């Protein structure tokens, strides 16, 4: 694929396949079958750091949004189309599965003290600002608050970056300082954990994770400035992947028996600031170089799994996982295949039709 196509379809099949790779990493992180007693502490701690799949999604979001909309932001009425596309992509499936999760809690009589408040905070994406609510209902959905804040801020970010590319570095610094200020203002106030501490801010909010998105934006702008053909080498693809693996190993060494390495200060530095650079390098290699990894990720299987990856992300922990695990089988491989089948069916019959219907508005 020529880089000139960046200015055309804005579609790289290998990056769709990356979605499947990233979501399966997150699945392994949450369900970690490599118990320390059986497989040893090294492998157990290593897989515990596979939360890096979320970082891959954040860098990818920054890259794709900038690739598709950075130039369009000069056009009239582009923002309406942009927001409609974002809502169509994210909201229908999230709303449906959040509602199902709430109903499941009612059926189990586990709805908690104020289920209506929890539900409203979830469907509005506001729960990601509150430490006490971040894991309610669809627990892994906290990352959608981070994503949505980036989507809303992106038009302003693009406007500023067009003024000077230095804003790619200055804006993340500004967001981080703003996050630190929020923590200082609210850390002594008991309000559902709203910016209650620095660990929450740096791990679970856009203010702490913003650099990942800006790495993606920087990569998109760099590629948009190039008109060159795909290379036959594989240096950058494997270099980026090797650095990612190296950083994950370091993070795993920082973990304890009960906590991931990202919970430490140095772990945050690695995950939020070093890892995104290696991910961007990996993406750059994927779209520029011919490699076996590219061939695998752009295969029909990975493209299909990539298309259903958002739904898989929403169901891989929660109601559907518990239904299979508690009532059908505890076999890890069968559960994994079952969740993929459910995700594919929901994507085909619900997510994709709803997406298309909203885009026609």
């Amino acid at each position: 694929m020529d880089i000139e196509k960046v200015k055309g379809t804005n579609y790289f099949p290998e990056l769709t396949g990356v979605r499947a790779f990233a979501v399966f990493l997150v699945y392994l992180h949450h369900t970690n079958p490599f118990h320390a007693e059986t497989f040893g502490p090294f492998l157990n701690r290593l897989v515990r750091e596979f939360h890096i799949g979320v970082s891959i999604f954040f860098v990818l979001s920054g890259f794709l949004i900038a690739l598709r909309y950075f130039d369009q932001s000069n056009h009239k009425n582009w923002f309406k189309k942009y927001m409609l596309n974002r809502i169509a992509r994210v909201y229908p499936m999230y709303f449906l599965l959040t509602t199902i999760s709430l109903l499941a809690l009612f059926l189990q009589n586990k709805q908690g003290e104020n289920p209506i408040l929890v539900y409203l905070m979830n469907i509005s994406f506001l729960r990601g600002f509150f430490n006490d609510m971040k894991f309610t209902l669809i627990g892994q959905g906290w990352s959608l608050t981070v994503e949505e804040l980036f989507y809303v801020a992106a038009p302003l970010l693009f406007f500023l970056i067009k003024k000077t590319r230095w804003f790619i570095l200055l804006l993340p610094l500004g967001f981080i300082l703003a996050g630190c200020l929020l923590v200082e203002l609210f850390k002594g106030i008991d309000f559902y954990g709203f910016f209650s501490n620095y660990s929450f801010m740096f791990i679970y909010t856009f203010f702490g994770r913003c650099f990942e998105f800006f790495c993606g934006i920087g990569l998109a702008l760099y590629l948009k400035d190039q008109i060159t053909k795909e290379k036959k080498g594989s240096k950058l693809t494997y270099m980026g992947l090797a650095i990612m693996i190296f950083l994950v190993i370091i993070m795993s060494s920082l973990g304890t028996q009960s906590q991931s390495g990202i919970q430490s200060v140095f772990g945050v530095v690695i995950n939020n600031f070093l890892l995104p650079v290696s991910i961007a390098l990996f993406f750059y290699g994927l779209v520029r170089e011919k490699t076996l990894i590219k061939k695998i990720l752009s295969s029909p299987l990975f493209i299909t799994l990539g298309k259903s990856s958002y739904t898989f992300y929403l169901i891989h922990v929660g109601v559907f996982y518990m239904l299979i695990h508690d009532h059908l089988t505890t076999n890890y491989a069968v559960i994994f295949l079952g969740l993929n089948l459910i995700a594919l069916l929901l994507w085909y019959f619900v997510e994709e039709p709803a997406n298309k219907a909203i885009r026609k508005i």
Side-chain angles (χ1 to χ4, degrees), residues 15-48:
L15 295 185
T16 300
V18 161
R19 293 181 182 276
F21 171 66
V23 80
F24 294 157
L25 287 178
V26 177
Y27 175 73
L28 285 170
H29 161 69
H30 282 139
T31 60
N32 197 346
F34 301 99
H35 305 293
E37 297 80 5
T38 305
F39 297 93
F42 174 77
L43 186 58
N44 176 264
R45 289 186 180 185
L46 187 70
V47 175
R48 201 188 298 169

Side-chain angles (χ1 to χ4, degrees), residues 51-345:
H51 55 75
I52 66 163
V54 174
S55 296
I56 293 174
F57 277 121
F58 288 166
V59 177
L60 186 61
S61 291
F63 175 71
L64 293 177
I65 294 299
L67 197 65
R68 294 168 180 169
Y69 296 105
F70 187 83
D71 293 332
Q72 290 188 26
S73 59
N74 293 324
H75 300 163
K76 185 179 179 180
N77 296 327
W78 82 276
F79 182 73
K80 180 180 178 181
K81 179 182 178 182
Y82 163 75
M83 289 305 299
L84 193 64
N85 288 344
R86 293 302 89 211
I87 292 171
R89 176 71 181 90
V90 173
Y91 202 71
M93 186 56 65
Y94 178 76
F95 178 82
L96 173 64
L97 293 175
T98 298
T99 304
I100 290 174
S101 297
L102 181 69
L103 293 175
L105 289 180
F106 273 108
L107 291 173
Q108 299 173 46
N109 197 28
K110 297 179 180 179
Q111 61 269 25
E113 295 182 3
N114 196 336
I116 301 302
L117 174 63
V118 171
Y119 181 67
L120 292 176
M121 294 292 278
N122 273 263
I123 62 173
S124 63
F125 295 113
L126 292 176
R127 58 87 173 259
F129 295 113
F130 300 86
N131 196 16
D132 297 347
M133 289 191 174
K134 63 180 184 293
F135 294 145
T136 55
L137 298 183
I138 301 176
Q140 62 274 24
W142 66 265
S143 65
L144 296 181
T145 300
V146 182
E147 290 269 6
E148 292 303 312
L149 188 54
F150 167 67
Y151 293 155
V152 173
L156 177 60
L157 304 182
F158 294 163
F159 173 79
L160 294 173
I161 292 171
K162 285 176 181 178
K163 298 296 183 181
T164 172
R165 295 292 172 89
W166 280 105
F167 273 116
I168 294 179
L169 296 177
L170 295 176
L171 286 170
L173 179 61
F175 279 116
I176 292 169
L177 291 176
C180 292
L181 178 61
L182 286 170
V183 172
E184 288 299 320
L185 290 174
F186 291 98
K187 65 182 180 181
I189 300 175
D190 185 15
F191 185 61
Y192 299 104
F194 182 78
F195 282 86
S196 57
N197 57 69
Y198 284 101
S199 178
F200 169 71
M201 190 275 287
F202 274 108
I203 298 175
Y204 297 105
T205 76
F206 175 76
F207 296 90
R209 306 293 296 259
C210 62
F211 185 71
E212 291 157 287
F213 294 94
F214 281 93
C215 279
I217 294 173
L219 174 61
L221 298 186
Y222 182 70
L223 278 176
K224 289 170 78 71
D225 291 338
Q226 298 184 56
I227 303 177
T228 183
K229 292 187 178 295
E230 190 178 56
K231 295 182 178 180
K232 291 184 178 181
S234 59
K235 179 179 178 181
L236 297 179
T237 303
Y238 291 107
M239 182 184 298
L241 184 60
I243 296 173
M244 288 169 58
I245 294 172
F246 176 70
L247 293 175
V248 171
I249 291 173
I250 294 179
M251 273 198 294
S252 70
S253 70
L254 299 172
T256 65
Q257 188 174 359
S258 58
Q259 287 188 331
S260 299
I262 193 177
Q263 299 292 334
S264 67
V265 174
F266 192 41
V268 168
V269 172
I270 293 174
N271 187 85
N272 293 16
F273 302 102
L274 300 182
L275 186 65
V277 177
S278 66
I279 293 171
L281 182 63
F282 176 62
F283 287 171
Y284 181 77
L286 274 181
V287 301
R288 287 291 309 276
E289 300 169 343
K290 293 181 179 180
T291 62
L292 177 61
I293 294 177
K294 179 173 185 168
K295 185 175 181 180
I296 294 172
L297 292 176
S298 59
S299 66
L301 174 61
F302 266 86
I303 289 176
T304 302
L305 294 173
K307 289 178 179 179
S308 63
S309 62
Y310 173 60
T311 300
F312 183 90
Y313 181 76
L314 293 178
I315 70 171
H316 80 271
V317 176
V319 174
F320 290 91
Y321 177 89
M322 296 302 294
L323 282 174
I324 298 174
H325 183 274
D326 294 349
H327 301 287
L328 296 177
T329 179
T330 58
N331 184 282
Y332 192 84
V334 176
I335 294 174
F336 175 73
L337 292 173
L339 288 171
N340 270 288
L341 178 60
I342 294 171
L344 285 167
L345 291 173

